[in-house]
Amino acid sequence: MSEALLEVRHLKKYFPITAGLLNRTVGHVKAVDNISLTIRPGETFGLVGESGSGKSTVGRTILRLHDKTDGEVRFKGISVHDLSKTEMNKLRPQMQLIFQDPYSSLNPRIRIGDAIGEALLDHGLAAKEDIPGYVMEVMESCGLSAYHYNRFPHEFSGGQRQRIGIARALALRPEFIIADEPVSALDVSIQAQIINLFQKLQHTKGLTYLFISHDLSVVEHLCNRIGVMYLGSMMETAPRDELFLRPLHPYTKALLSAIPVPIPKLKRERIVLKGDIPSPANPPSGCKFHTRCPYAVAQCKEETPEFRQAGNDHYVACHLV
Amino acid sequence: MSIPTTTTHTARARSPVEASSSLWRQSIRQLSKNKLAVSGFIFIIFMFLICFIGPLFSPYADNKINPAMMHKPPSMKHWLGTDLLGRDVLTRLLQAGRISLTVGLASMALSMTIGTILGIISGYYRGIVDQIIMRTADLLFTIPGLPILFIMGALMSEWKVPTDYRLYLVMLMLSIIGWPGVARLVRSQMLSLREREYMQAAVVLGLRDRRKLFHHLLPNVFPLLIVIATLSIGGAILSESVLSFFGLGVMPPTPTWGNMIDAANNVIDFEKRPWLWIPPGLAIFLTVIAINLFGDGLRDVLDPKQKK
Amino acid sequence: MKSLLKINNLSTHFHTEAGPIKAVNDVSFRIGEGETVCIVGESGCGKSITAMSVMGLVEGPNGRVVNGQILFDGKDLLQIGKEELRRIRGNDISIIFQEPMSSLNPVITIGKQIMEPLMLHQRLNKKQAYARTIELIELVGIPRAEQIASSYPHELSGGMLQRIMIAIAISCGPKLLIADEPTTALDVTIQAQVLETLRQIKEQSKMSMMLITHDLGVVAEMADYVIVMYAGKIVEQGGVVELFEHPKHPYTRGLLKSKPVIGQRLEQLYSIPGQVPNPLELVESCYFHDRCESCLPVCHTRQPQLKKSGDGQQVACWLYEEEAQYE
């Protein structure tokens, strides 16, 4: 097994809930609660979960857009959260983020060529006169035309804006890219274009992805290994085939069966979960899934299940497995 | 293309220069469709031109006191009549306009500068600096503006400040009243911009603070600044007029629209000599309305979320 | 099957600064009694505007239904008076939107908001209306109905609110329920619950449903009949099984191929090149021609008509017209 590119160990990120005149902290939203994962060079790790599962917070905490509460993030062996501000800035080009909303992630007053090229200038990665040529190259590799260089974001459609976002991240020649729901704001036909672009770029540039999504079908198509999150905790991680053919955690099973399949009159056994996703500010005791789990036993209410190995590279947090 | 290829042409063809409409250009196009705002703008320009150029052509620009011509009603010689010292009202009205507009512009510029700088510092650095600045602003907010102006005006009279200086002091006073509002708006804009995804993108890209501030944040605060600036000119003109009307602002003989109305501050003038107070009153009214119409139009195109 | 809703040549246009937009362009279809018809398409294809037009919600200075007939139970909704339309809207047709939160009043309890239309349209008294409200909340699968009835919208999750919206929509026993992207804002597990609820209610009450969505999975699960829209026009329509198994229009085919499906591994996804045309720049042509793999010369200059092709399926494409091949 090859050396890990990114290692996350027992990562926790709690957001304080404040109340009253003096902003007293009255509780915590445990957005990320003890998450561990390893990403190897060249692979695509998919992180799936529903809203409130903390999957986006994991991505942002890895990139230090949030400070961690506890735990460790190591990128190529370097502990990211222990770096000084200058050291961190020096590391940033190597790990980039692609946002969900292609509208709000581009500054409306900056021409897209400048948006893609400006970071190169700040990091001194290219001479000023070389930047336009290089930027156009990157734009073309992302399916944009070079003559778009001087246009503004509002002149583009959602799909093209997402390409701009990708080009902006790619211009810094990163090794690792976190894509936070990059296709969920897009129409189906555009989604497929962007997914294919992700694959193409991975092959040509040897990128490693952390692909965050709520859509299991996209994740299945794109990822080598997948982690399933629920209310801030990792429920199951496994290689793709393992997870889809032999899902172990009841939540993963329910999630898989809940996805509508575009094959009409297909009679499937469906697990429709009862109830709502609990609030991450006040998660259930024991196994966080026990309130909705069709197989829950008494033990689930009291003991938090351990995240343990249940097969080749297959980990699961469930008492019943 | 059939155009002969010169060196510059090939260079341009290779470099991707393509006309593209920025948000600014779009805003101007939108604004030009708003008839009220355009007429407001035309009126403001007209007011400026006539006030700054008009007096040059007036035979009465020296403001000589002429007892023989006291309180004459409008005539061919004096289009708007004369005042109690026999001076031409039209000429004085235009000269007053110069002062009033200058006071409006200058105090706006000053309060905008102070407010913007403090607002940006507050919003960008936050923490203790933010606390100090915003609490000072709150303090100035808790005291109603006009009473402060009255007190300061009374103090100036008490200390016998020469009339020439009073003009500058009035501008200063108005900016002291004006900056907290600006600072608050700029700060809140900064705070909301900080949370935008494109600012998070700037962090992930590892951009320098200077670039984040000057390339990403400021250009997005600017439209708001233009709107506040425009609207605050109107406010400043009004405040100056009120102050001068009460004899606490700019003092005669320097004319302003406010103290011209004040000069007609008695029943006889009010009833019998409307040419003394209607023109300056109308001038204030129309100018402030025009500025506000234009400012509202600007806000609609530059800061659309406030419209709702 | 008897038609409940029959739409003939409906066109809805919007006037913008840059020019008129034909949001719905000569659209005709029918919904039979007890039938579920899904309209699918990407953003901007006119699927929501079609629903709004049926509800008489396209009003104001910019948007207008410029042509067509909307026959509901034989009555043309575009010809009847405001008062009658209002009555039909409350009793016989109801609608649920994508964002339940914005359709509910935040300062009135859930119970009161369900009771209101019952008292107004069904002339129930307060006690009867309350009893019916509790029944309805239970019907849409929410436990602890009394407690829910006395809570405010912000106290409930998105999935619950959407089910409350369904409860309000079905409260007067409508013949037609229009659901505009009812599950798009919801998580998959919650979406499964809401779809299940909708299906059960439809089964029990035999109402017809017009479901608008962009999700082909939802279509396959819910629809009897499918209408595919592109740039304001219907490009293909047909029974759900035929349409999914034998899609005829290149756009439908592309759409079906570009969605990854669980368990169906592909090396690479098919993707339709290019993007949806700017509605302001549409000229007489097949609107899909510049993205189409099988584009013919005629596609550039003439618009294909929606014609029967095979059993019950209709398609608007020159590939299925014999004369086009010879041009």
Side-chain angles (χ1 to χ4, degrees):
Chain A
M1 214 177 283
S2 52
E3 187 83 340
L5 181 74
L6 182 87
E7 249 193 301
V8 176
R9 288 283 158 264
H10 306 293
L11 186 69
K12 289 180 189 165
K13 174 65 198 170
Y14 297 172
F15 292 102
I17 306 167
T18 57
L21 206 59
L22 296 167
N23 283 337
R24 239 164 4 98
T25 303
V26 293
H28 286 99
V29 176
K30 297 181 176 176
V32 178
D33 198 8
N34 205 355
I35 290 280
S36 301
L37 54 92
T38 308
I39 300 178
R40 297 167 200 132
E43 78 171 348
T44 304
F45 189 94
L47 201 54
V48 257
E50 300 179 275
S51 51
S53 64
K55 55 192 191 301
S56 289
T57 314
V58 170
R60 277 154 208 253
T61 313
I62 290 173
L63 291 173
R64 234 177 119 180
L65 275 173
H66 300 310
D67 287 322
K68 65 170 187 191
T69 304
D70 197 18
E72 195 176 41
V73 178
R74 283 185 177 276
F75 178 73
K76 290 182 170 173
I78 306 162
S79 174
V80 172
H81 282 259
D82 293 334
L83 295 178
S84 74
K85 204 182 161 204
T86 355
E87 288 169 328
M88 186 64 213
N89 256 4
K90 223 174 264 166
L91 185 71
R92 286 206 179 277
Q94 297 182 39
M95 33 200 316
Q96 283 300 308
L97 177 63
I98 290 159
F99 293 84
Q100 169 177 5
D101 183 354
Y103 291 86
S104 64
S105 56
L106 295 171
N107 190 330
R109 293 181 192 277
I110 293 188
R111 291 173 197 273
I112 67 153
D114 296 335
I116 298 169
E118 62 180 354
L120 288 167
L121 207 61
D122 265 17
H123 288 289
L125 291 173
K128 197 166 185 178
E129 59 275 14
D130 299 338
I131 286 180
Y134 173 69
V135 166
M136 280 177 236
E137 225 172 82
V138 176
M139 283 168 67
E140 267 163 8
S141 72
C142 293
L144 295 158
S145 306
Y147 67 84
H148 289 147
Y149 192 91
N150 278 330
R151 296 216 179 158
F152 287 93
H154 63 84
E155 297 171 79
F156 294 88
S157 66
Q160 280 176 307
R161 281 167 184 244
Q162 201 53 290
R163 289 176 193 272
I164 298 169
I166 295 170
R168 178 175 64 185
L170 226 56
L172 288 167
R173 297 193 188 91
E175 286 169 52
F176 176 56
I177 287 185
I178 297 183
D180 188 0
E181 301 257 16
V183 296
S184 46
L186 307 175
D187 276 320
V188 189
S189 72
I190 308 297
Q191 240 181 41
Q193 294 175 2
I194 300 293
I195 291 171
N196 287 342
L197 176 64
F198 268 106
Q199 277 183 318
K200 186 193 101 184
L201 292 172
Q202 183 162 43
H203 291 145
T204 53
K205 315 216 178 221
L207 295 167
T208 306
Y209 293 132
L210 171 60
F211 195 90
I212 299 168
S213 177
H214 69 276
D215 189 338
L216 268 172
S217 50
V218 173
V219 166
E220 188 200 22
H221 178 75
L222 214 50
C223 303
N224 311 106
R225 277 193 315 134
I226 294 154
V228 181
M229 279 184 78
Y230 184 75
L231 278 181
S233 299
M234 193 69 91
M235 296 284 131
E236 185 165 8
T237 62
R240 171 176 64 180
D241 294 338
E242 271 282 304
L243 191 89
F244 282 89
L245 297 175
R246 213 167 65 89
L248 291 176
H249 200 286
Y251 178 63
T252 315
K253 289 180 191 165
L255 209 55
L256 276 169
S257 87
I259 298 169
V261 176
I263 302 164
K265 309 290 179 230
L266 178 77
K267 288 280 168 255
R268 284 189 301 160
E269 201 185 321
R270 159 160 295 180
I271 312 163
V272 176
L273 290 177
K274 286 167 297 180
D276 270 310
I277 306 167
S279 151
N282 187 16
S285 61
C287 172
K288 287 175 178 169
F289 186 57
H290 83 255
T291 52
R292 299 174 77 199
C293 183
Y295 315 110
V297 293
Q299 189 192 10
C300 304
K301 215 179 252 182
E302 280 135 32
E303 269 175 65
T304 310
E306 217 179 303
F307 196 60
R308 58 201 166 75
Q309 191 150 10
N312 184 21
D313 209 12
H314 195 152
Y315 294 81
V316 66
C318 181
H319 290 304
L320 301 172
V321 176
Chain B
M1 250 186 270
S2 58
I3 307 164
T5 2
T6 62
T7 43
T8 52
H9 203 89
T10 41
R12 196 173 304 154
R14 216 178 294 124
S15 76
V17 180
E18 165 139 328
S20 150
S21 84
S22 69
L23 287 182
W24 288 112
R25 222 171 293 164
Q26 281 187 2
S27 302
I28 291 170
R29 208 178 312 134
Q30 254 178 293
L31 185 65
S32 63
K33 285 189 185 138
N34 181 340
K35 291 200 184 78
L36 277 177
V38 171
S39 38
F41 181 69
I42 293 172
F43 185 82
I44 299 165
I45 297 295
F46 166 76
M47 212 61 198
F48 266 91
L49 287 177
I50 195 174
C51 287
F52 282 87
I53 299 172
L56 302 178
F57 299 99
S58 163
Y60 312 108
D62 51 358
N63 272 322
K64 214 181 265 160
I65 293 169
N66 185 352
M69 289 299 290
M70 270 167 61
H71 289 326
K72 290 282 186 266
S75 63
M76 284 307 285
K77 268 178 93 177
H78 297 280
W79 293 353
L80 291 177
T82 60
D83 66 1
L84 129 126
L85 298 175
R87 294 170 297 193
D88 182 51
V89 172
L90 179 60
T91 310
R92 279 188 61 78
L93 184 73
L94 298 182
Q95 288 170 334
R98 271 191 204 179
I99 306 285
S100 290
L101 291 173
T102 314
V103 169
L105 272 181
S107 61
M108 174 277 285
L110 199 59
S111 59
M112 288 304 292
T113 318
I114 303 174
T116 307
I117 292 174
L118 292 181
I120 283 176
I121 293 173
S122 262
Y124 191 74
Y125 292 102
R126 299 193 281 189
I128 187 82
V129 197
D130 177 31
Q131 288 292 327
I132 294 172
I133 293 172
M134 286 337 280
R135 292 303 79 80
T136 317
D138 286 346
L139 197 72
L140 281 166
F141 257 123
T142 53
I143 316 169
L146 271 180
I148 294 200
L149 288 177
F150 280 11
I151 293 167
M152 289 198 278
L155 278 177
M156 288 201 295
S157 303
E158 184 66 31
W159 293 332
K160 307 238 166 6
V161 176
T163 36
D164 292 357
Y165 288 116
R166 284 193 76 122
L167 185 60
Y168 301 110
L169 282 171
V170 167
M171 293 181 200
L172 194 68
M173 280 155 49
L174 290 174
S175 359
I176 290 172
I177 297 292
W179 76 261
V182 181
R184 263 196 181 180
L185 281 168
V186 171
R187 172 178 175 270
S188 69
Q189 179 81 350
M190 291 289 285
L191 289 180
S192 96
L193 287 173
R194 276 183 73 109
E195 300 306 316
R196 301 280 160 90
E197 272 197 341
Y198 58 78
M199 289 314 296
Q200 295 192 5
V203 174
V204 175
L205 291 169
L207 299 185
R208 292 180 189 161
D209 276 9
R210 207 177 39 197
R211 182 181 296 275
K212 278 189 261 182
L213 193 57
F214 290 101
H215 288 237
H216 288 254
L217 289 170
L218 271 188
N220 282 296
V221 178
F222 220 72
L224 176 78
L225 285 183
I226 293 178
V227 175
I228 326 174
T230 316
L231 292 173
S232 76
I233 297 178
I237 291 177
L238 270 185
S239 303
E240 179 276 326
S241 302
V242 172
L243 215 53
S244 300
F245 176 76
F246 285 106
L248 297 167
V250 181
M251 297 293 237
T254 313
T256 74
W257 288 335
N259 69 26
M260 278 178 77
I261 300 180
D262 180 40
N265 185 11
N266 60 62
V267 182
I268 302 169
D269 282 344
F270 185 76
E271 284 184 349
K272 299 269 160 47
R273 301 177 191 119
W275 65 86
L276 290 182
W277 56 269
I278 287 182
L282 219 53
I284 295 174
F285 176 72
L286 291 178
T287 310
V288 173
I289 290 260
I291 288 173
N292 282 347
L293 284 179
F294 179 60
D296 281 343
L298 270 177
R299 184 174 58 201
D300 287 352
V301 299
L302 292 179
D303 194 15
K305 67 178 182 295
Q306 289 218 341
K307 204 169 21 176
K308 295 168 195 162
Chain C
M1 210 184 318
K2 219 182 126 214
S3 315
L4 178 70
L5 182 78
K6 198 158 190 306
I7 291 178
N8 294 326
N9 308 96
L10 179 74
S11 292
T12 304
H13 294 186
F14 284 86
H15 292 278
T16 64
E17 284 179 13
I21 288 178
K22 296 176 179 172
V24 178
N25 188 354
D26 199 19
V27 160
S28 306
F29 63 93
R30 61 180 285 278
I31 300 179
E33 275 175 7
E35 190 183 27
T36 300
V37 171
C38 277
I39 304 184
V40 325
E42 300 177 278
S43 45
C45 73
K47 55 190 193 298
S48 287
I49 305 296
T50 305
M52 305 275 265
S53 304
V54 173
M55 286 299 276
L57 295 175
V58 180
E59 278 165 19
N62 294 326
R64 211 160 56 83
V65 176
V66 292
N67 189 28
Q69 275 184 316
I70 301 172
L71 298 170
F72 179 76
D73 250 355
K75 249 181 271 173
D76 188 349
L77 298 186
L78 294 172
Q79 301 300 331
I80 60 173
K82 265 207 173 126
E83 188 52 36
E84 201 178 352
L85 182 66
R86 196 184 62 85
R87 210 162 34 231
I88 289 177
R89 213 147 58 184
N91 277 318
D92 297 333
I93 310 179
S94 42
I95 187 162
I96 47 181
F97 295 102
Q98 178 177 346
E99 285 293 335
M101 199 64 187
S102 51
S103 317
L104 288 166
N105 187 333
V107 295
I108 300 177
T109 60
I110 297 289
K112 278 200 182 127
Q113 298 193 53
I114 304 180
M115 282 161 71
E116 213 168 69
L118 287 170
M119 288 157 74
L120 188 75
H121 291 290
Q122 306 259 298
R123 316 219 173 271
L124 298 183
N125 66 31
K126 217 169 177 179
K127 218 171 144 197
Q128 291 168 320
Y130 184 75
R132 178 87 181 115
T133 298
I134 299 299
E135 247 177 73
L136 283 165
I137 297 178
E138 279 165 358
L139 190 66
V140 293
I142 304 178
R144 292 175 289 120
E146 275 97 0
Q147 195 190 330
I148 297 294
S150 61
S151 51
Y152 290 90
H154 69 91
E155 296 173 281
L156 304 184
S157 67
M160 292 246 235
L161 288 176
Q162 196 55 289
R163 277 184 279 173
I164 295 294
M165 288 311 297
I166 295 173
I168 295 176
I170 60 167
S171 60
C172 298
K175 293 180 189 154
L176 174 66
L177 176 69
I178 300 177
D180 188 357
E181 303 262 10
T183 56
T184 305
L186 306 176
D187 282 311
V188 261
T189 58
I190 308 297
Q191 166 172 292
Q193 294 171 351
V194 170
L195 291 180
E196 190 65 39
T197 306
L198 274 176
R199 219 184 343 239
Q200 278 170 8
I201 287 166
K202 223 207 90 187
E203 211 94 306
Q204 286 162 15
S205 64
K206 302 274 177 262
M207 66 179 177
S208 309
M209 192 150 77
M210 176 166 152
L211 181 66
I212 290 156
T213 180
H214 68 277
D215 189 335
L216 292 163
V218 173
V219 175
E221 241 168 61
M222 303 292 291
D224 299 316
Y225 195 80
V226 185
I227 292 167
V228 184
M229 282 185 79
Y230 186 78
K233 296 203 70 94
I234 296 179
V235 292
E236 182 165 7
Q237 56 182 4
V240 64
V241 179
E242 297 86 62
L243 192 117
F244 274 74
E245 279 173 7
H246 309 288
K248 293 224 158 81
H249 198 283
Y251 176 64
T252 319
R253 272 192 251 152
L255 216 51
L256 282 166
K257 273 193 284 176
S258 54
K259 189 181 158 61
V261 177
I262 295 262
Q264 188 190 83
R265 294 290 160 71
L266 296 167
E267 199 45 46
Q268 206 192 359
L269 279 182
Y270 174 81
S271 72
I272 304 175
Q275 47 192 323
V276 179
N278 181 345
L280 291 165
E281 290 163 6
L282 292 176
V283 288
E284 173 75 22
S285 66
C286 170
Y287 295 156
F288 188 62
H289 78 267
D290 54 342
R291 301 177 74 185
C292 185
E293 281 181 332
S294 349
C295 184
L296 302 169
V298 63
C299 304
H300 292 268
T301 53
R302 281 173 60 202
Q303 196 154 56
Q305 295 301 312
L306 196 61
K307 289 201 178 137
K308 273 223 166 62
S309 166
D311 27 298
Q313 225 162 321
Q314 292 183 37
V315 61
C317 180
W318 287 117
L319 290 176
Y320 301 95
E321 307 231 0
E322 279 175 24
E323 47 159 333
Q325 315 288 339
Y326 305 112
E327 269 188 40

